[in-house]
Amino acid sequence: MSNINGLLSLKLLGFSFLSMSVGLLFMGLGRKVTARIQRRLGPPFYQAFLDVFKAFSKSSITHNYVMDLGIIMSLGGLIATAFFIPFAGYAVLGSSSIVIILYLMSIGYLGMAMGVSASGNPNATIGISRALALMLGYEIPIVMIVMAMMLTYGSSDLLTFATAQQGGFANWHIFKYPLGFLAIEISFQAMLGEAPYDHMIAPAEIASGPMVELSGKYLGIGFLLHAVQLYVETGLIVNLFLGGASTWYVFLLKQFAVYFTSMCINAVMARYRIEQGIAHLWKYAGTLALLQLFITRLGVF
Amino acid sequence: MKDINELIKKFNSFFQEKAVLTRKYKQQYQIVTGRDELLGILNWCKQYSFYHLANIVCVDWLEDEEFELVYNLWSYEFKIGCLVKIRIPRARPWAPTVFELWGQAQVYEQEIHEFFGVYFPGNPDLSSLFLHNWHDLPPLRKDFDPVEYSRQAYTVEGLGVKPEYEKEDNSEGRES
Amino acid sequence: MKKNVYMTNLRDERQNAWEGILNYFRKRSMWMLYYCTGCGAVELPPTMTTRFDMERFGMGPMATPRQADLLLITGYLSVKTLKRVIRSYEQMQDPKYLVGFGSCPINGGIYWDTYPVINHLEMFLPVDMSIAGCMPRPQAILDSFEKLRDEIQEGKAVGYKRYEKHYDWYKANQDKVLNREDAVLQPWEDPFADKPTLEALQAGEKMEEGEDK
């Protein structure tokens, strides 16, 4: 407990605001990218900020206290994950264990599941069950890749992986472990819930899934959730495969590059059915990750 | 049976003067009959390849004091349509249901019952399908006046709606 | 003179400075729920997509009433639809705006003399903006949204406050149409309402010829 002093809490507060605003900025830019692909002008890049402010200015309706609790737990879990992601080589809590990150990330989803299921809307329940089913699909490839990394470096620290890639492009894991990068790129699409894995939020099909009963401030928190999730997951990939970064703007640029790729795929793909999506993830991302694991082990021996 | 003329001959010999069969257009025949023979004729038609009931139409003949029910059949074998028409009195209109012959006829009859007031004994569900809380004459009858209805049911004058600011306290001087 | 009264009252609610700041965000990010009651919905895809691109104003379609700020009534409203529209409107969260699309919500349009279509939407729900035309082209739609944005900023688009304040007035009008108890013109006397006739018919007995006439 003595570790929690004033400076650290200030830092944590700053970090949570950083993760939210980076995520919101990316969301706006992503909408712009999609619009340009569809030959539209698109909204201004700060549109996501306007949306969130507006959502918080609306009145909102809650169904029971479990709903409030679940949403807050979800946001808390994701922000806690963000503390463990090294931002430009700086981990605010001093530790950046990937095991903790993977563990905390699922709290976000579980909180969301608890909150929106309490709202009682069947569409929300369908959406969240799809999200949890999809989680089975993408967690396995990710864990296999992380295992490969951990076996190589004998450590579970994300910062160790990032610093090991310093010294030029050739050291980046994207070139050292190309199969693993492909696998995690496919899984990333599913993690963010972008097409072709946007079963969870399928507006024309199940009326935006988990968000269906969220109104006003709850929807604002939903937006923030997505923003923090964006920050965490792009940060994870940058640290794992793109060599981390020593300065903040390089880190942000790399994060955006990852998100940009994702948005480009999202803009041109259609949606899988849920069982096709999971099968696809296991077949392709899973196989690639497994191959990567074997190759890495052979290289070690 | 491949020839339509043979079928017509068979029809005429079977029903004789109970039904009048005429050719309306190149691909459309018309059978005019009575209420009592309706089920028999429809059954016969269905047996001889007219097994598609496209729809049921009701026509209001106000001067004749009669409703006309038109059953629209189609044969995929001959590529020929057939109208079976019956006339029923307007005062107490009823017709036998063809729900047992064609399942989809249930909805058609429900609709006709709602919009014309024709009763189909034997139809399992004749509840209101489209109209909301309707107490007036069935609206597609010719003696129903939709303009007058709309004036009285939906306009400001008809509903007797007062301006909303009359509810306020300081509204005395603002009227007019 | 008196006929215009119903459309022009109570549009000037005062707003404080904080409300003015919030209104800036509200006008820059309007999420709409378009109620595809009629033909007007077909004008929205061109407004949303490449050529006219509604999203540059921060507007976009939303899936449920809970999330939306803007309810579009695109086309004529039958009585049965009105009930659903009222329910959707009441599910939306404040502040909410209602836009009537085309001439049908204004005065009934070409359906003014038909039996199931209501004539004036503003008698049942507070309309913030009406777009005339049958149907309005995307240019007209965007122009009206531009005007709506101005009204939101000035604090004039306060239909939801009007609805709260005069709920009894709106509710009374809604009830007059939705929960009608008597016939409007002349009541319908069903000749088959009495039980014996009905049972005789269902048993397959023939009606007497004298009664048929």
Side-chain angles (χ1 to χ4, degrees), chain A residues 26 29-34 37 172 174 181-190 192-197 230 233-234 237-238 241-242 252-269:
Chain A
F26 281 5
L29 288 171
R31 280 171 74 175
K32 192 91 184 162
V33 168
T34 316
I37 290 173
W172 287 10
I174 178 172
F181 180 71
L182 274 179
I184 212 161
E185 189 70 8
I186 296 173
S187 313
F188 175 66
Q189 205 72 8
L192 277 186
E194 307 284 4
Y197 302 106
L230 210 61
E233 280 155 13
T234 48
I237 293 186
V238 168
F241 281 97
L242 295 181
L252 285 185
L253 270 180
K254 282 180 180 174
Q255 272 185 314
F256 183 67
V258 173
Y259 186 55
F260 180 78
T261 325
S262 162
M263 286 315 287
C264 289
I265 299 169
N266 176 46
V268 295
M269 293 288 278

Side-chain angles (χ1 to χ4, degrees), chain A residues 89-283:
Chain A
Y90 171 68
V92 67
L93 286 179
S95 151
S96 61
S97 169
I98 193 145
V99 180
I100 297 182
I101 290 174
L102 289 181
Y103 172 73
L104 282 177
M105 247 165 67
S106 52
I107 287 188
Y109 271 116
L110 292 177
M112 192 80 183
M114 196 171 88
V116 302
S117 305
S119 74
N121 194 311
N123 278 331
T125 319
I126 294 173
I128 209 70
S129 71
R130 286 180 177 193
L132 293 180
L134 205 62
M135 220 162 112
L136 277 182
Y138 63 73
E139 293 247 301
I140 288 173
I142 291 177
V143 166
M144 279 198 277
I145 292 161
V146 166
M147 217 149 81
M149 299 263 180
M150 276 157 61
L151 288 170
T152 315
Y153 293 105
S155 159
S156 71
D157 200 24
L158 199 53
L159 207 53
T160 318
F161 304 157
T163 44
Q165 302 171 53
Q166 275 174 358
F169 289 96
N171 283 346
W172 287 10
H173 283 163
I174 178 172
F175 301 115
K176 270 182 162 174
Y177 306 112
L179 297 181
F181 180 71
L182 274 179
I184 212 161
E185 189 70 8
I186 296 173
S187 313
F188 175 66
Q189 205 72 8
M191 273 200 284
L192 277 186
E194 307 284 4
Y197 302 106
D198 53 348
H199 321 85
M200 180 175 90
I201 299 165
E205 192 185 339
I206 50 170
S208 74
M211 322 274 267
V212 65
E213 277 295 319
L214 301 186
S215 56
K217 299 176 177 64
Y218 294 87
L219 194 59
I221 295 182
F223 260 72
L224 291 181
L225 267 179
H226 190 69
V228 179
Q229 195 192 3
L230 210 61
Y231 169 83
V232 166
E233 280 155 13
T234 48
L236 190 66
I237 293 186
V238 168
N239 277 314
L240 271 180
F241 281 97
L242 295 181
S246 48
T247 47
W248 59 271
Y249 52 89
V250 178
F251 191 81
L252 285 185
L253 270 180
K254 282 180 180 174
Q255 272 185 314
F256 183 67
V258 173
Y259 186 55
F260 180 78
T261 325
S262 162
M263 286 315 287
C264 289
I265 299 169
N266 176 46
V268 295
M269 293 288 278
R271 181 163 60 234
Y272 283 132
R273 287 209 313 270
I274 178 70
E275 80 274 13
Q276 285 173 335
I278 296 174
H280 192 268
L281 277 172
W282 277 354
K283 257 186 220 161

Side-chain angles (χ1 to χ4, degrees), chain B residues 75-134:
Chain B
S75 159
Y76 286 97
E77 202 170 302
F78 297 112
K79 304 268 186 295
I80 275 176
C82 178
L83 306 178
V84 182
K85 295 185 174 176
I86 61 167
R87 291 252 181 158
I88 50 179
R90 208 163 174 282
R92 307 185 78 176
W94 67 273
T97 178
V98 293
F99 163 67
E100 279 91 359
L101 286 175
W102 289 280
Q104 75 266 32
Q106 190 266 321
V107 207
Y108 300 150
E109 288 173 357
Q110 191 178 352
E111 191 187 346
I112 288 174
H113 176 259
E114 183 171 19
F115 283 106
F116 291 93
V118 179
Y119 188 73
F120 292 90
N123 192 311
D125 183 13
L126 286 177
S127 56
S128 180
L129 194 61
F130 294 108
L131 298 173
H132 177 87
N133 210 5
W134 190 264

Side-chain angles (χ1 to χ4, degrees), chain C residues 19 39 64 103 114 122 197:
Chain C
E19 196 83 351
C39 30
T64 67
S103 32
T114 53
E122 75 270 1
T197 323

